[in-house]
Amino acid sequence: MNRWTQWPSRQALSRQGVPRVRLMINTGMWVFGASLLLWDVVRDDAFPRWARIVLLAAVAGCAATVYAFRRVTVDHRLGPALALLALLLGAGAALRAVGADNPAAAVWIVGVVVSMERLPLMAGLPAGIVAACSFTIFGDHSLPGGLAAGLGFLLVGYTLRLDEEARGTGYRLLEQERAARRAEAQSAALAERARIAREIHDVLAHSLSAQLVHLEAARLLVERGEDRAMVLERVVAARRMARHGLAETRQALYALRGEMAPVEDFLRESASTEGARFETEGEPRELAAEAGLAVRRVAQEALTNVRKHAPGARVELRLVYRTDEVLLEIRDGGARETSAGGPAATGAGYGLRGMRERAELLGGTLEAGPADGGFVVRLRVPA
C-alpha cells in the first residue's frame, strides 16, 4: 500500500499495548497543557469577565474537538477527521482575532502535531503545513523563528507517528504470537488425546475381543450341556483377560504421563524374567513418552512371540542410544513356528503389525524376520 495514502494502524492510533505508566504520563501532559491555557485566559485582565468566560468555553471546546478527532481517526474516518481539524484551526484563527494569542498558538501547534501523527500523509501533511503557516504568520514572533518552530512541530508529529506505528506493529506481532501459542497448545492437547485413545484402543481391542471369544465359547458349552468344569475354564480365562487388559490400560496411561520406570530398567527386568541377555550401547537418556511406550510394547510383543514360537531359545535384547534415535533389537536363535498370519499376527499383545504402525506414526521403522537361524525384531524411533 502507498505510504502516502496509508493510515497508521488502529493498534497504533488506539491505546492497545500502551503501558499504564505511559498512559498516565500522556494524560498528565494533556491535562497540564490545558490547565496552563485556562489559567492564561483567567488571569488575562485585557478581557472583561464575561469575555474570559467565553474564552474558557472556547478553549474547552477546542479540547473536546481534539478528543473527538482522536476518536474518529482510530476508526480511519477521513471526512469527519478533516472536518474536526478544520474546526480546530478555525477556532485558533478566531482566538487570534479576538486577541487570545497564546490559546491560538497552542491550538495551531496541536493541529500541526495531530495532523502529522494521526492522518494519512496525503491529508496530514497539507493540513499540518496549513496549521504551521498559521502559527508562523499570525504568531507573535519573527518569521525565521516561526518557520523553524513550525518545521519542528511537523517533525515532532511525524516522530510520534513513527513511534506509534512501531508500537502498533509490536502489538500485532505479540497478538500473533499469542494466537500461535494458543493454536499450538490446542494442537498438543488434541495430539495427546489421540495418543491416549490409540493406546487404550490397542490395549482394549485385544483384551475385549479375547474375552468375547471365551464368553461366546462358554455360552455354546452351556447350550450344549457340556461339563461345568469346561464352562468354568472359559469364564476364568475371560476374567483373566479382563484383568490383564485393565493392568495394560493402567500401564499405558502411566507411560503416557511419564510416570513409569525408565525404559532401560523395564527392559532389564523383562529380560531377567524371560531368562534373556540384555545390553545397552551409547549414553542413556530419558525418552519421550510415546517413544518409550513403543519400545516397551515391541519388547513385550517380541518376547511373547519367542515364548510361544521358540520356547527355550536363547534371546538377546540390545538397546542402542544414538544421536537422534534409539534402536531396540530382540534376537533369538531357536526354531520358530509359522502360522497363516505369520509372527506379526500372533502374541499375547497387539501384533508386530500394529507395532510397525505405531513406529511409523512416530517417524520410525520396525523390521521383523528370520536371521541366522532364528528371528530378529528391530525397532528404530526418533529420540
Side-chain angles (χ1 to χ4, degrees):
M1 185 181 293
N2 191 331
R3 186 169 183 82
W4 284 93
T5 60
Q6 182 180 3
W7 283 86
S9 67
R10 286 182 170 84
Q11 291 83 4
L13 295 176
S14 67
R15 296 184 175 184
Q16 292 178 336
V18 180
R20 181 175 298 180
V21 174
R22 181 170 177 175
L23 282 176
M24 294 175 62
I25 293 175
N26 290 345
T27 303
M29 291 176 61
W30 280 101
V31 171
F32 180 73
S35 300
L36 286 180
L37 286 178
L38 294 175
W39 175 249
D40 182 74
V41 171
V42 169
R43 70 180 183 85
D44 193 348
D45 295 333
F47 297 99
R49 184 174 182 180
W50 65 267
R52 278 181 277 178
I53 295 175
V54 173
L55 289 176
L56 287 174
V59 172
C62 290
T65 302
V66 172
Y67 177 78
F69 175 83
R70 294 176 65 87
R71 293 296 299 269
V72 298
T73 53
V74 171
D75 297 328
H76 292 176
R77 298 165 59 192
L78 184 59
L82 291 177
L84 289 169
L85 186 60
L87 178 62
L88 182 66
L89 298 182
L95 289 171
R96 178 67 177 82
V98 299
D101 296 340
N102 291 337
V107 168
W108 285 328
I109 291 172
V110 170
V112 174
V113 173
V114 298
S115 297
M116 294 297 296
E117 176 190 8
R118 305 183 69 85
L119 291 176
L121 290 179
M122 181 182 65
L125 183 58
I129 291 175
V130 169
C133 289
S134 300
F135 172 82
T136 301
I137 296 172
F138 300 108
D140 188 15
H141 41 65
S142 64
L143 183 60
L147 289 174
L151 180 60
F153 294 137
L154 287 171
L155 292 177
V156 167
Y158 188 68
T159 301
L160 290 175
R161 178 194 190 94
L162 295 178
D163 178 68
E164 292 179 353
E165 286 181 343
R167 175 178 55 80
T169 300
Y171 182 81
R172 288 197 304 274
L173 292 176
L174 180 61
E175 286 298 305
Q176 292 173 3
E177 182 180 357
R178 289 173 178 170
R181 287 181 178 177
R182 288 193 295 268
E184 184 179 354
Q186 292 175 356
S187 177
L190 291 175
E192 181 68 14
R193 292 174 186 172
R195 286 197 299 268
I196 293 175
R198 183 170 61 249
E199 185 61 30
I200 293 177
H201 173 270
D202 287 348
V203 173
L204 294 184
H206 169 75
S207 176
L208 293 177
S209 61
Q211 292 176 57
L212 183 61
V213 170
H214 287 298
L215 292 175
E216 181 64 17
R219 184 185 67 82
L220 293 175
L221 290 173
V222 170
E223 289 180 352
R224 292 203 300 261
E226 297 290 345
D227 184 65
R228 181 174 179 273
M230 296 178 63
V231 176
L232 184 60
E233 180 183 355
R234 292 293 183 175
V235 173
V236 170
R239 184 182 65 176
R240 183 171 60 251
M241 292 303 301
R243 288 179 174 176
H244 178 74
L246 181 60
E248 289 291 312
T249 301
R250 288 173 177 168
Q251 187 181 51
L253 291 176
Y254 289 151
L256 287 171
R257 294 170 182 165
E259 298 174 359
M260 295 189 69
V263 171
E264 188 174 339
D265 295 345
F266 173 83
L267 294 178
R268 183 175 288 106
E269 181 179 351
S270 299
S272 176
T273 301
E274 298 292 337
R277 177 186 174 188
F278 174 68
E279 62 180 23
T280 63
E281 296 180 16
E283 185 68 25
R285 62 179 181 273
E286 185 177 355
L287 303 181
E290 281 235 335
L293 190 57
V295 171
R296 286 181 170 88
R297 287 282 179 258
V298 170
Q300 287 177 329
E301 184 67 24
L303 291 175
T304 299
N305 282 343
V306 171
R307 186 169 61 250
K308 292 189 65 175
H309 301 292
R314 178 176 52 85
V315 183
E316 296 180 356
L317 277 77
R318 190 164 65 99
L319 182 65
V320 182
Y321 294 95
R322 294 176 176 170
T323 303
D324 55 354
E325 69 174 10
V326 64
L327 166 69
L328 172 67
E329 184 178 277
I330 304 98
R331 181 185 298 270
D332 72 75
R336 176 171 291 266
E337 299 176 5
T338 59
S339 62
T346 61
Y350 323 101
L352 292 178
R353 184 178 296 111
M355 294 300 100
R356 181 177 289 111
E357 294 174 356
R358 181 190 295 274
E360 291 173 353
L361 285 174
L362 296 176
T365 60
L366 186 138
E367 304 168 357
D372 299 330
F375 201 82
V376 63
V377 176
R378 191 175 291 112
L379 169 72
R380 290 184 176 88
V381 289

